[in-house]
Amino acid sequence: MTQAQQTVNLPSSVFTGLTEVSHAAATGNVLGVVNYTTECTDPRVENGLLTLDLHMASDLGEAFAEVWTTTGTVETGEHHGVVYAHDGEYLLVAGRIAPTGRYTEDTRAAYVAALDLMDGLGYKNCFRMWNFLNDINGDNAEGLEIYRDFCKGRAEAFELFHFGDKEVPSATGIGSQGGGIAFYFLASRSAALTSVENSKQMAAYHYPRQYGPRPPKFARATYLAGTHTDRRSGQIYVAGTASIRGHETLHDGDIEAQVRLSLDNIEHLISDENLADYEITQGNSLLNLDNIKVYVRHRSDIPAVRRMCEERFSPNARVQYLNVDVCRADLLVEIEGIIA
Ligand code: 3EB
């Protein structure tokens, strides 16, 4: 089976682009593989390779793999239901939560397992989280929207770990086509992290009560300074970004305006004007964004979304378009990426 592959190298190496899994695995050590494919399976370690399959594609032609590579030697394991791989500097941890009618408790427990693992292994600097929720806008058995149910468990886990709002990493919370909730996190041992907010958006952890019993806890971006093994610095992990100003969704029902505002939000977030608050100067524009994922609620909108994105991203950027639901019923698109 040929599957497009998006290779994301951690800061200690460089991107190698889209190749087949077997080829990438041969050119470097692999911390883990996330398959954006046609079914969700429990994350697993097979022959020393951590693999997570997400149900994010409708057919195999749309499937791609995200491969996290490293220059270090990788060790793997399992801890209270989450699986992990680490190389002495970076930790990848992945888990899955089965649907049971409500997600709060199992989300809290799975997050606690992952956070406990980071503490125990000494990877205390978590810089990115991805969460994939089947039926994200549906109601749980108690009539609470599944996204809000998830947010509750996540907030409780952070609270148990005294994980302050300013310390939470950038994240994605997005729909998937099946498999309950699946997640993966990246953490570092020695990278200094800066949580970056967008001066034109309210911090998600301050969203008012109208969006659910507990707010979503994530940073708009995480800036990663160099590690002990890599003096280069300046990676920025941009969280899922949507058509939101302040805390409000703008442009309900207007896909083009939502794409424009989502892109404008990222452009401002990574600009020197916004980063001045953090004493970061990089001269970034959207042309520096790579390893981009564009989540589109309605498949029929994908051609228009692609056209608009191609006008503003680098022609060399790796971009994947996925057809899934978005965490607010009125959001039609969400965009994330990495500045390397
Ligand atoms: C937003 O800005 C849009 O719950 O982890 C974006 C990124 C969004 C992450 C999450 C949600 C999350 O509120 C939604």
Side-chain angles (χ1 to χ4, degrees):
M1 180 191 76
T2 303
Q3 180 170 258
Q5 176 180 302
Q6 187 144 306
T7 301
V8 187
N9 295 305
L10 288 158
S12 49
S13 47
V14 290
F15 293 119
T16 56
L18 295 166
T19 55
E20 285 179 48
V21 172
S22 55
H23 180 247
T27 58
N29 298 339
V30 175
L31 197 61
V33 177
V34 184
N35 291 311
Y36 286 73
T37 186
T38 53
E39 64 181 322
C40 185
T41 58
D42 287 338
R44 61 195 182 275
V45 173
E46 260 170 21
N47 304 318
L49 180 66
L50 190 164
T51 305
L52 173 64
D53 295 333
L54 302 170
H55 192 167
M56 297 292 284
S58 301
D59 60 58
L60 283 175
E62 279 176 15
F64 64 95
E66 185 182 83
V67 180
W68 294 92
T69 63
T70 159
T71 51
T73 305
V74 176
E75 284 179 43
T76 56
E78 188 265 336
H79 176 76
H80 296 298
V82 297
V83 299
Y84 63 90
H86 63 122
D87 69 354
E89 183 52 55
Y90 296 104
L91 170 75
L92 173 65
V93 49
R96 183 174 170 196
I97 306 158
T100 59
R102 68 184 238 171
Y103 279 114
T104 302
E105 287 74 20
D106 291 348
T107 299
R108 185 177 64 219
Y111 262 64
V112 162
L115 295 170
D116 185 55
L117 179 75
M118 289 176 201
D119 266 3
L121 293 178
Y123 296 86
K124 292 173 193 270
N125 309 326
C126 183
F127 57 92
R128 190 64 167 92
M129 295 180 158
W130 283 267
N131 302 283
F132 305 89
L133 288 69
N134 183 39
D135 198 19
I136 188 167
N137 303 127
D139 283 350
N140 74 2
E142 290 155 358
L144 180 66
E145 188 189 39
I146 284 172
Y147 175 62
R148 298 174 182 206
D149 188 4
F150 159 79
C151 283
K152 198 157 165 272
R154 174 172 57 178
E156 290 178 6
F158 285 161
E159 213 161 67
L160 284 169
F161 269 77
H162 307 286
F163 214 151
D165 285 347
K166 297 247 157 89
E167 296 163 338
V168 294
S170 55
T172 293
I174 198 75
S176 74
Q177 298 185 26
I181 296 177
F183 64 83
Y184 63 102
F185 306 161
L186 284 168
S188 162
R189 255 191 191 149
S190 70
L193 307 183
T194 305
S195 295
V196 174
E197 288 302 313
N198 185 328
S199 62
K200 297 185 178 185
Q201 295 189 282
M202 181 182 286
Y205 45 79
H206 288 151
Y207 284 171
R209 179 73 177 71
Q210 74 200 70
Y211 300 103
R214 299 296 304 269
K217 302 259 182 174
F218 66 93
R220 298 292 170 194
T222 304
Y223 172 84
L224 203 66
T227 66
H228 287 156
T229 49
D230 181 10
R231 301 276 155 186
R232 286 178 304 156
S233 62
Q235 268 207 336
I236 300 177
Y237 287 78
V238 175
T241 304
S243 180
I244 296 173
R245 275 285 153 94
H247 61 77
E248 281 171 324
T249 300
L250 298 190
H251 312 301
D252 191 5
D254 183 343
I255 183 65
E256 293 201 356
Q258 287 208 10
V259 171
R260 204 170 298 120
L261 185 57
S262 302
L263 293 170
D264 290 348
N265 274 336
I266 296 178
E267 190 170 57
H268 178 69
L269 174 71
I270 62 178
S271 70
D272 284 348
E273 182 193 345
N274 189 61
L275 295 178
D277 286 353
Y278 309 92
E279 295 171 357
I280 299 165
T281 313
Q282 289 194 332
N284 292 315
S285 75
L286 286 176
L287 294 173
N288 300 105
L289 198 67
D290 199 0
N291 289 286
I292 298 162
K293 296 191 198 99
V294 181
Y295 305 98
V296 182
R297 182 183 291 275
H298 301 302
R299 177 174 297 280
S300 56
D301 286 335
I302 291 180
V305 172
R306 185 192 297 269
R307 226 169 14 249
M308 293 184 71
C309 287
E310 284 175 354
E311 276 179 22
R312 295 182 62 184
F313 295 145
S314 162
N316 300 320
R318 281 163 287 262
V319 190
Q320 297 289 346
Y321 297 85
L322 302 96
N323 174 219
V324 287
D325 290 338
V326 185
C327 69
R328 289 185 188 178
D330 51 11
L331 288 174
L332 301 173
V333 64
E334 187 173 305
I335 304 173
E336 62 169 63
I338 304 169
I339 293 176

